[in-house]
């Protein structure tokens, strides 16, 4: 089994180092980079070569380049790196904005060790991880849009029946292989459907695709 390659970007030295020790203690994880801000992390990416991280755990508040700016650049230049935001800020609007901007997960800095491990594993497997705080933020955002739009189900793109089936299973955190087993299709076929859905919906990644499904009532949130 390939190890999940992880980078940490946080300006608090003690927190960053402690998080690095935690990452190193998990057998299926491999810590490949620690950086104190977005600029230094991007510089390291230019020198790492072929071993780019699968996941970057990034703080929101950092000098020079904060987590919001870093997240934007990662999605423009390093699309294979999935960002997990780890922050002291848990306001619903900020959570929704970061997920909408392409973050694969959003966790509070005081989360349990077990949840962080679960988030990393789930993001690596499915492309996103939404805990109760994120789901509540997305639900509140969807409810607000429902009040301000006459027809929230007016989907701007046409989805086939198969695409809707795949989208529902993606929202339920099934991997490509698991969706293939459910629908009796190959993993490569499911990968194609996932990419087509992301392109049709105009999303940045799988997390954005789930947000799209919630926005247009294609998937009902359960807390």
């Amino acid at each position: 089994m390939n190890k999940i390659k992880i980078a940490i970007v946080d300006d608090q030295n003690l927190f960053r180092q402690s998080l690095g020790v935690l990452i190193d203690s998990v057998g299926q994880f491999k810590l490949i980079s620690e950086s104190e801000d977005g600029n230094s992390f991007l510089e390291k990416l230019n020198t790492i070569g072929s071993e780019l991280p699968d996941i970057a755990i990034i703080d929101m508040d950092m000098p020079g380049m904060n987590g919001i700016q870093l997240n934007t650049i990662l999605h423009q230049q390093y699309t294979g790196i999935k960002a997990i935001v780890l922050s002291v800020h848990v306001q619903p609007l900020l959570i929704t904005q970061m997920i909408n901007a392409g973050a694969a997960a959003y966790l509070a800095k005081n989360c349990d060790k077990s949840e962080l491990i679960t988030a990393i594993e789930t993001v690596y497997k499915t492309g996103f991880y939404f805990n109760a705080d994120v789901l509540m933020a997305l639900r509140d955002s969807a409810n607000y849009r429902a009040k301000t739009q006459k027809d929230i189900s007016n989907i701007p793109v046409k989805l086939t029946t198969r695409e809707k089936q795949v989208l529902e299973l993606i929202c339920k955190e099934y991997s490509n292989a698991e969706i293939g087993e459910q629908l009796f299709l190959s993993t490569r076929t499911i990968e194609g459907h996932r990419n087509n859905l992301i392109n049709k919906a105009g999303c940045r990644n799988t997390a954005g695709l789930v947000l799209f499904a919630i926005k247009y009532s294609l998937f009902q949130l359960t807390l």
Side-chain angles (χ1 to χ4, degrees):
M1 177 181 176
N2 293 330
K3 290 192 175 185
I4 303 173
K5 300 186 293 293
I6 299 170
I8 301 172
V9 190
D10 195 296
D11 66 319
Q12 298 178 18
N13 291 333
L14 182 59
F15 180 84
R16 185 178 69 250
Q17 292 164 5
S18 299
L19 185 56
V21 171
L22 168 61
I23 296 300
D24 277 333
S25 72
V26 181
Q28 68 269 32
F29 296 166
K30 180 180 180 181
L31 180 63
I32 64 171
S33 172
E34 290 185 36
S35 306
E36 66 275 9
D37 59 37
N39 286 317
S40 61
F41 177 54
L42 292 176
E43 290 175 3
K44 288 181 181 179
L45 290 181
N46 290 328
T47 61
I48 285 175
S50 60
E51 193 177 49
L52 292 175
D54 300 302
I55 291 172
I57 301 174
I58 63 177
D59 187 18
M60 288 287 292
D61 299 318
M62 296 180 291
M65 180 185 295
N66 61 33
I68 298 174
Q69 297 165 320
L70 176 58
N71 182 65
T72 299
I73 292 175
L74 288 178
H75 280 284
Q76 292 173 344
Q77 301 180 15
Y78 298 95
T79 56
I81 301 176
K82 300 177 180 66
I84 295 179
V85 176
L86 200 58
S87 176
V88 296
H89 305 293
V90 291
Q91 293 91 336
L93 179 59
L94 184 57
I95 292 173
T96 304
Q97 287 176 338
M98 287 303 294
I99 296 297
N100 210 12
Y106 195 110
L107 299 175
K109 272 195 169 180
N110 65 349
C111 69
D112 292 336
K113 175 179 73 174
S114 59
E115 183 178 22
L116 177 60
I117 293 173
T118 297
I120 293 171
E121 293 173 338
T122 304
V123 167
Y124 182 74
K125 173 186 172 185
T126 69
F128 74 100
Y129 170 80
F130 292 166
N131 62 10
D133 290 335
V134 173
L135 290 174
M136 288 180 66
L138 297 182
R139 181 195 63 185
D140 292 344
S141 177
N143 288 342
Y144 173 78
R145 281 189 292 264
K147 293 177 182 178
T148 57
Q149 296 178 10
K150 292 182 178 179
D151 185 9
I152 197 170
S153 64
N154 185 24
I155 306 172
V157 295
K158 183 175 179 59
L159 302 181
T160 66
T161 300
R162 179 64 80 194
E163 287 173 336
K164 290 178 181 178
Q165 291 173 331
V166 171
L167 180 56
E168 181 178 2
L169 292 173
I170 288 174
C171 292
K172 292 180 178 179
E173 297 187 356
Y174 282 72
S175 67
N176 288 338
E178 291 168 340
I179 296 173
E181 291 177 1
Q182 289 281 324
L183 301 179
F184 303 101
L185 297 170
S186 70
T187 300
R188 179 169 295 183
T189 298
I190 299 303
E191 289 174 354
H193 282 306
R194 185 188 291 261
N195 291 333
N196 287 339
L197 283 165
I198 289 174
N199 290 333
K200 276 189 175 184
C203 301
R204 296 174 181 267
N205 54 15
T206 301
L209 187 58
V210 176
L211 190 61
F212 170 87
I214 294 169
K215 177 180 178 180
Y216 292 103
S217 301
L218 295 168
F219 180 72
Q220 300 299 318
L221 288 173
T222 56
L223 299 177

